[in-house]
Amino acid sequence: MGKEELLKLIPAVNDILSENKSEKIKNDYSRTDLLEGIRYVTDNLRTKILADDFSETNFDQESLKAEKILDSVKIYLKNIYRPEMSPAINATGVVIHTNLGRSLLADSAAEAVNNVALHYSTLEINRDTGERGDRYSSVQDIIKKLTGAEASLVVNNNAAAVTLVLAVIAEDKEVVISRGELVEIGGSFRVPEVMEQSGAKLVEVGSTNKVYLKDYLNAVTEETGAFLKVHTSNYRIQGFTATVEAEDLVNDAHQRDIPVIEDLGSGIIFDLQSYGLPYEPTVKESIDAGIDLVTFSGDKLLGGPQAGIIVGKKKYIKKLEHHPLLRALRVDKFTLAALEATLKLYRNFDDAVDKIPTLKMLTESAEKVMQRAEKLFSYLDEYDNFTLKIEKDTARIGGGSYPLTEIKTSVLTIDSELISSEELAYKLRQTEMPIFSRIKNQKLIIDLKTVQISEIELLAKEINQVLREEV
C-alpha cells in the first residue's frame, strides 16, 4: 500500500468525533481540547507517512483507526495537563539537590504554607491596631534569638541578600575580597558578577591558596567600602594554605571604620560534629566574631524554603530596610510562613533534627537507611534478566555544602544485559511520579538515603512496572 492510500485511511474529524470514546474525552476535558488533540495526532500521522525515511513495514496501520487515534488523543491531553513541576522521588543520594528543589519542608512548615494559601493572613498587618504592620516581624525575633544578631532581614535568595547588602553598604565603592573566595555559587553565577550588579567595585587580594591580614589592609584606600569574606562551602583548597580569621579581620577593619560582610552560603545554625559531620562555621560564630552583616541560604543546611537571610548590626539592617531594591527582592507570604515554622523547630534542636527532613537525612544512622533499603527490596519481584542487590555505598550532601564529605548509605543496584542503565534511568524518570537515580559502574543505583519512608511502596511499584515491561 502506497503513501496516498495510507493517507486516505486517516479518518475525517467528524468520523472520529462520532466514536463513543470521543464523548468521554470531551466530558473529561472539553470539546476544544478534543479537537486540538485530534488535529495533533492526525497531523503527526500525516507527517510520519510523508517522511522521506518512511517504512511501511515498520508502520502500524492500526494507529490509523479512529479508536486508536482517540487513545493517542487521551495520552496527548493527559501530558498537556500534567504539571511540568511535579513531585519526584529523589533516589540520587544527594540530600540538598538543587535541581530537585533542595530541602524538603518539615510537616509544620508545609502545613503553615497550606494555611496561608487557603486563608487571608496577617502578612503585613498589626493585630492590635488593625493598621499596616511589618512584613518581616513573624521571623525577625526568632532569627535574632537563634543567631545572636541585633537585627535580621529576609529576601528571596542568598544571591539577592549579597546583592542588597553590597548595594547599600558599598555602591560605587571598593570591596576587598580574597582571590581564593571568588567562587561560583551555582547556575554559573559567580561572586564577582553578583558584586558587579550591586554597583560595588571588586578589589582582589592575596593568591588563590593564601591570603594574609596585611593583604586586606594594604588594599585600603579612601574608596574602600567594605571587606567581604565568602565561605567556600562548595569547594576546599587544601595543603599549602592561609586564611584570615574573622576576629582579626574585624578588629583591624573596625579601627578603620570599614564594615565586614560575610557570605556564609549554606547557613548552618548548630554545629553537627556530634553527628559525625565535619566542622562548619555557624552563623552565631560569625556574629560573635563581630562580623557586621552575615548572609546565608534558607533552603540548604537550614532545611527551610528558598530565602536569603541577612543578620547583623541594627544600624546596617535599618539601611537595608529602607533601600528601594528591597521591594524587588522581598519574599512572599508562603516563604515567610514556611521559614517561621522551620525556625521555630530550632528552639529545641532535638526537634529540629527529628522533624526537619534535611537535618534528619544528614544525621540518621546507616542502619536506618539499610532498613529502608531492605523494605524496598521486599516489595520487588524476581526477574530472570535483571540482577537486583542491596549494597552499601556513600551519598553526598549537595547544595554546595560539605563538598568533601561522604555519608554512609544503602542502595539498590539494578543490572541487566537487556537494557542499558541510561535507558532504564530514562524510563524511571517517565513514571507518573518521576524517579531520579544515578549510575555507577554501569549499574543503576537507587540510593535510599534520600528516599522517604512514605515513598517506598510507590517506588517499588514503579520499578516493578518498568522491569516487567522489559522482560
Side-chain angles (χ1 to χ4, degrees), residues 229-264:
K229 285 180 66 65
V230 178
H231 176 48
T232 54
S233 60
N234 60 357
Y235 81 103
R236 289 286 185 272
I237 297 175
Q238 295 181 322
F240 194 55
T241 65
T243 58
V244 180
E245 293 297 324
E247 293 91 338
D248 297 331
L249 188 61
V250 165
N251 288 336
D252 282 270
H254 286 177
Q255 288 176 21
R256 294 162 175 78
D257 200 27
I258 297 171
V260 180
I261 302 161
E262 183 168 26
D263 171 10
L264 266 185

Side-chain angles (χ1 to χ4, degrees), residues 152-188:
S152 67
L153 190 61
V154 180
V155 291
N156 53 24
N157 60 32
N158 192 45
V162 174
T163 300
L164 178 62
V165 167
L166 292 176
V168 173
I169 305 300
E171 185 175 15
D172 296 326
K173 294 182 180 180
E174 295 175 347
V175 175
V176 182
I177 183 173
S178 166
R179 283 190 177 87
E181 296 175 0
L182 294 173
V183 299
E184 182 173 302
I185 56 178
S188 299

Side-chain angles (χ1 to χ4, degrees), residues 281-448:
T282 66
V283 178
K284 191 175 188 307
E285 286 174 333
S286 293
I287 293 298
D288 290 345
I291 300 289
D292 296 288
L293 288 170
V294 181
T295 72
F296 56 98
S297 295
D299 59 347
K300 291 187 178 180
L301 292 176
L302 184 71
Q306 176 181 298
I309 302 172
I310 308 168
V311 297
K313 304 284 175 59
K314 186 181 294 184
K315 65 177 181 179
Y316 293 119
I317 296 290
K318 286 294 182 186
K319 290 182 179 180
L320 302 183
E321 289 176 336
H322 292 98
H323 195 278
L325 188 56
L326 178 61
R327 176 77 179 187
L329 302 177
R330 72 179 186 175
V331 290
D332 68 356
K333 59 185 179 182
F334 304 119
T335 300
L336 287 169
L339 183 59
E340 179 187 4
T342 302
L343 291 168
K344 284 185 173 177
L345 290 172
Y346 277 95
R347 294 174 66 89
N348 181 326
F349 190 54
D350 289 336
D351 271 357
V353 169
D354 183 57
K355 295 177 181 177
I356 295 175
T358 294
L359 293 184
K360 189 169 187 175
M361 283 185 272
L362 293 183
T363 59
E364 71 178 342
S365 67
E367 288 74 23
K368 287 188 177 179
V369 186
M370 177 58 80
Q371 287 171 12
R372 290 203 296 278
E374 290 171 344
K375 186 176 182 67
L376 172 66
F377 195 77
S378 71
Y379 287 127
L380 297 174
D381 298 332
E382 292 185 12
Y383 300 92
D384 292 336
N385 297 300
F386 289 91
T387 302
L388 281 65
K389 292 181 180 178
I390 297 298
E391 298 179 6
K392 293 181 179 180
D393 205 334
T394 54
R396 308 287 294 196
I397 295 175
S401 308
Y402 293 105
L404 303 180
T405 302
E406 294 183 337
I407 44 183
K408 293 179 180 179
T409 188
S410 296
V411 302
L412 168 72
T413 66
I414 305 177
D415 190 24
S416 176
E417 295 182 359
L418 284 180
I419 183 175
S420 69
S421 296
E422 289 77 11
E423 189 176 352
L424 188 55
Y426 171 81
K427 287 181 178 293
L428 288 172
R429 293 196 301 271
Q430 306 314 306
T431 56
E432 187 169 346
M433 188 169 180
I435 299 162
F436 290 83
S437 56
R438 72 172 189 263
I439 295 171
K440 181 179 178 180
N441 298 328
Q442 285 75 55
K443 295 179 182 178
L444 185 93
I445 305 292
I446 300 292
D447 195 321
L448 277 297

